[in-house]
Amino acid sequence: MPRTSTKSAAPARRLASSYRLEDQVGFLLRRAYQRASSNLVEQIGSYDLTAPQYATLARLYERGPLSQNLLGRLVAMEPANIRDVVLRLKKRRLVATRRDPTDKRLILIDLTAAGVALVEQLIPIEIECTAKTLAPLKAGQKELLYQLLSQLAER
Amino acid sequence: MPRTSTKSAAPARRLASSYRLEDQVGFLLRRAYQRASSNLVEQIGSYDLTAPQYATLARLYERGPLSQNLLGRLVAMEPANIRDVVLRLKKRRLVATRRDPTDKRLILIDLTAAGVALVEQLIPIEIECTAKTLAPLKAGQKELLYQLLSQLAER
DNA sequence: ATCTATTCGTTATGATCATAACGATATACC
DNA sequence: GGTATATCGTTATGATCATAACGAATAGAT
């Protein structure tokens, strides 16, 4: 079974000894998110939902009807992006949309009965998935990670 | 009265009190990566490079010529994705490609002189950018975060 | 009431991402 | 040698992502 060696024939360059990609938080965060996301898709894969889609459904479940724009902010998605996610969820009849009667700019998004039922099925799975992602950490480290990540993510 | 499919005056649902999206690591990791990535693009924005593109260049700088596939693994990108990144970098003459003479499957990727020069310009900026991303944390917390993220990201 | 600034949703463009399927090449084993 | 298996790069499909520009609707100030 051939596998290309991770060893390089050519020597590294000048500053290489004083710089490593692994020391950059962004790179570590990207890889950690990849792991968490793939765990989620693997766990809820049979429902054919992505992590952002699940987050959108979960937020609606928590908060009730929301304007598309506010929903986007609450799941950290730009207007152009939350739009596409809502369209896909709407196509699957997991959410429904209607115009706000008092503010005609707004599109109110809400879960359908099927959406509510799905979220209630998925929440326990997601909690288990989070536990799986955090499995490499010891008990005390998990709370610590939450605290640190929350500080980084705050706007 | 609202239609059945879109109704839901209730602000929050049953399980909402026992579940919060913020308690899911994946969501926090996604937002933290968003922040780190936007910091990087903001800092090196004038060079018109994305975070994955920078990571690719930095890895090549560290390791010297690599096959496209191995390069992808070293920056955590699937073959189909690293291909596109390499194509964009190649179009800008930051990397060059050639076939491996002993293994005709491989495409060897290496930095051009312009690529090397660019990376050496960017590395100090990236280090500063990492510091900015980590600014909300105290000194001791930064090392802790690295340790925790590394544990999560390891395959 | 009118003018201005802001907000909301849309459109367009381009760059990640993951996955599956495929041909070409290389290796392992007999 | 010859065959089964593995790897490499490509193609295709679909879902995120960010950004900029735009019209419609609202809110704020005077």
Side-chain angles (χ1 to χ4, degrees):
Chain A
M1 43 190 97
R3 180 171 188 94
T4 307
S5 162
T6 57
K7 219 171 119 179
S8 171
R13 273 150 176 125
R14 214 176 318 139
L15 302 180
S17 57
S18 61
Y19 177 83
R20 292 180 312 146
L21 194 52
E22 277 72 12
D23 289 340
Q24 309 311 310
V25 232
F27 185 68
L28 287 178
L29 285 169
R30 175 166 152 272
R31 291 204 300 154
Y33 174 62
Q34 278 179 344
R35 172 65 53 85
S37 177
S38 75
N39 277 346
L40 179 63
V41 171
E42 183 182 344
Q43 291 282 110
I44 67 173
S46 59
Y47 295 97
D48 204 38
L49 275 185
T50 66
Q53 286 171 7
Y54 169 78
T56 302
L57 294 178
R59 198 58 105 184
L60 286 170
Y61 183 80
E62 283 177 24
R63 303 283 295 257
L66 297 169
S67 78
Q68 183 172 289
N69 192 278
L70 176 56
L71 174 59
R73 288 202 298 274
L74 291 176
V75 292
M77 299 182 64
E78 297 298 317
N81 305 327
I82 187 63
R83 174 183 176 273
D84 288 344
V85 172
V86 165
L87 280 180
R88 291 184 200 102
L89 296 176
K90 186 179 178 182
K91 191 177 299 180
R92 295 173 61 180
R93 314 275 188 182
L94 297 173
V95 304
T97 64
R98 58 193 160 95
R99 301 217 76 106
D100 186 310
T102 70
D103 187 339
K104 282 183 277 189
R105 294 173 305 177
L106 308 186
I107 295 183
L108 296 180
I109 324 278
D110 196 12
L111 293 174
T112 62
V116 172
L118 181 59
V119 172
E120 291 183 342
Q121 267 190 297
L122 292 182
I123 283 183
I125 301 178
E126 233 284 277
I127 291 175
E128 186 185 348
C129 174
T130 290
K132 183 182 176 186
T133 302
L134 292 175
L137 304 186
K138 296 173 187 146
Q141 295 180 316
K142 301 180 184 179
E143 288 75 11
L144 207 45
L145 179 68
Y146 275 88
Q147 186 187 339
L148 298 178
L149 288 179
S150 297
Q151 290 182 54
L152 288 191
E154 272 169 13
R155 170 62 62 179
Chain B
M1 295 302 281
R3 303 296 313 277
T4 304
S5 57
T6 56
K7 92 167 168 193
S8 57
R13 264 118 181 162
R14 210 179 323 138
L15 302 180
S17 57
S18 61
Y19 177 83
R20 291 180 313 147
L21 194 53
E22 277 73 12
D23 289 340
Q24 309 311 310
V25 232
F27 185 67
L28 286 177
L29 286 169
R30 175 165 153 272
R31 291 204 301 155
Y33 173 62
Q34 278 179 344
R35 172 64 54 84
S37 177
S38 74
N39 277 346
L40 179 62
V41 171
E42 184 181 345
Q43 292 282 112
I44 68 174
S46 60
Y47 295 96
D48 205 37
L49 276 184
T50 66
Q53 287 171 8
Y54 170 77
T56 302
L57 294 178
R59 197 59 105 186
L60 286 170
Y61 183 79
E62 282 177 23
R63 303 284 294 256
L66 296 169
S67 79
Q68 182 171 290
N69 192 279
L70 176 56
L71 174 59
R73 289 201 298 274
L74 292 176
V75 293
M77 298 181 66
E78 297 297 318
N81 305 326
I82 186 63
R83 174 184 175 272
D84 289 343
V85 172
V86 166
L87 281 180
R88 291 184 201 103
L89 296 176
K90 187 179 178 183
K91 191 177 299 181
R92 295 174 60 180
R93 314 277 188 185
L94 297 173
V95 304
T97 64
R98 59 194 159 93
R99 299 217 77 105
D100 186 311
T102 69
D103 186 339
K104 282 183 280 189
R105 295 173 304 177
L106 307 187
I107 295 184
L108 297 180
I109 324 277
D110 197 12
L111 292 175
T112 61
V116 171
L118 181 58
V119 172
E120 292 184 341
Q121 267 191 297
L122 293 181
I123 284 182
I125 301 178
E126 233 282 277
I127 291 175
E128 186 185 348
C129 174
T130 291
K132 183 182 175 185
T133 301
L134 293 174
L137 304 186
K138 296 173 186 144
Q141 294 180 316
K142 301 179 184 180
E143 289 75 13
L144 208 45
L145 179 67
Y146 275 88
Q147 187 187 339
L148 298 177
L149 288 179
S150 297
Q151 289 182 55
L152 288 191
E154 270 168 15
R155 170 63 62 178

